[in-house]
Amino acid sequence: MAVDARNQAAVAAAPPSGGAPVHVAIIMDGNGRWAARRGLPRVEGHRRGVEAVRRSVRAASDLGVRYLTLYSFSSENWRRPATEVADLLGLLKRFIRHDLAELHAANVRVRIIGDRDSLSADLQALLCEAEDLTRANTGLVLAIAFNYGGRQEIVRAVRRLAREVKAGRLDPEAIDMAHIDAALDTHGIPDPDLVIRTSGEHRVSNFLPWQATYAEYVFLPDLWPDFDHATFEAAIGEFMRRDRRFGGLSARTA
């Protein structure tokens, strides 16, 4: 069976069984339940979730992770009550305004993935500022998935390619996985090796469906505000015990 060059490159770049993940992506879930169990308003759960984001960024650097993608706000989250959406947007703005200087000083590069067209002008400007300020940094790459949906991302990529075809700059028969990959929001970022979801749910929730084709998933019972260095380290330990075959024979039994 022929293997596409894009898949070959992804497999070649992935760490072998027993190796630490290069790219970790996290579905941060459970803020509301964390607050409800304590009789607190949901916004307090989201505030504590921001603290967990700070811990996860520091832990990723400590654990040798080079790329960290956090699912902060999905395309479907707009369906939540307007007050909660406003709280989430406000927390994102405060996180960027208050933490950007620290991230920059720590040599972290910030990337934003997701649809920006429907966002307010001030929020778009803030996201661009975060990317522009940290663009030359060479440490951890922190990708924040905001107003993000995986299927919507693929639609945007297809439209970009369709415009290239319409303009005569691209032969439709030449389109391959590498072209689609380059048209995605995550271009330049390697595929995730490990996807973590907190809160005990076992869904992928429209998160990186193209990129996570070969990822290992770890589903944790912990609610996101309780996520810390030890939890992160344990998830990586679970990943390193997995036998990654990528469609081939096990390296341990071949």
Side-chain angles (χ1 to χ4, degrees), residues 14 57 65-66 88 122 139 153 168 175 205 213 225 228 239 246:
V57 171
V65 174
R66 292 173 53 197
L88 288 166
D122 66 320
E153 178 191 24
I175 296 174
S205 296
T213 301
D228 58 15
F239 168 86
F246 304 103

Side-chain angles (χ1 to χ4, degrees), residues 223-234:
L223 300 177
W224 177 246
D226 294 324
F227 192 88
D228 58 15
H229 191 291
T231 314
F232 204 160
E233 189 171 17

Side-chain angles (χ1 to χ4, degrees), residues 64-241:
V65 174
R66 292 173 53 197
Y67 298 85
L68 176 66
T69 299
L70 301 178
Y71 202 5
S72 66
F73 190 89
S74 77
S75 303
E76 290 76 26
N77 285 157
W78 295 106
R79 302 172 187 169
R80 295 188 178 189
T83 53
E84 183 171 354
V85 170
D87 288 336
L88 288 166
L89 295 179
L91 285 170
L92 174 70
K93 292 177 182 178
R94 284 195 289 276
F95 172 76
I96 293 178
R97 287 175 180 144
H98 295 167
D99 290 64
L100 185 56
E102 181 178 343
L103 292 170
H104 184 43
N107 199 29
V108 173
R109 181 181 178 185
V110 176
R111 286 277 302 271
I112 310 296
I113 63 173
D115 182 10
R116 304 188 198 187
D117 291 344
S118 60
L119 302 178
S120 63
D122 66 320
L123 184 51
Q124 289 189 45
L126 196 60
L127 298 180
C128 288
E129 177 188 349
E131 289 185 316
D132 291 343
L133 178 65
T134 63
R135 193 175 305 279
N137 290 347
T138 58
L140 174 73
V141 175
L142 173 62
I144 300 174
F146 185 81
N147 195 23
Y148 176 84
R151 288 181 172 180
Q152 293 88 331
E153 178 191 24
I154 293 171
V155 168
R156 289 195 301 276
V158 170
R159 287 174 176 166
R160 290 180 185 121
L161 294 175
R163 287 193 290 269
E164 292 295 299
V165 170
K166 184 177 180 180
R169 292 188 292 265
L170 179 62
D171 179 354
E173 296 301 320
I175 296 174
D176 58 13
M177 292 187 188
H179 283 92
I180 296 174
D181 191 66
L184 293 171
D185 299 349
T186 53
H187 60 89
I189 297 176
D191 291 343
D193 307 298
L194 168 63
V195 178
I196 300 170
R197 179 168 187 151
T198 59
S199 86
E201 302 292 349
H202 293 75
R203 299 185 299 275
V204 298
S205 296
N206 201 17
F207 184 48
L208 303 176
W210 176 277
Q211 299 89 337
T213 301
Y214 289 107
E216 296 289 330
Y217 282 81
V218 171
F219 297 100
L220 300 174
D222 313 69
L223 300 177
W224 177 246
D226 294 324
F227 192 88
D228 58 15
H229 191 291
T231 314
F232 204 160
E233 189 171 17
I236 289 178
E238 169 63 23
F239 168 86
M240 293 174 69
R241 288 189 291 274

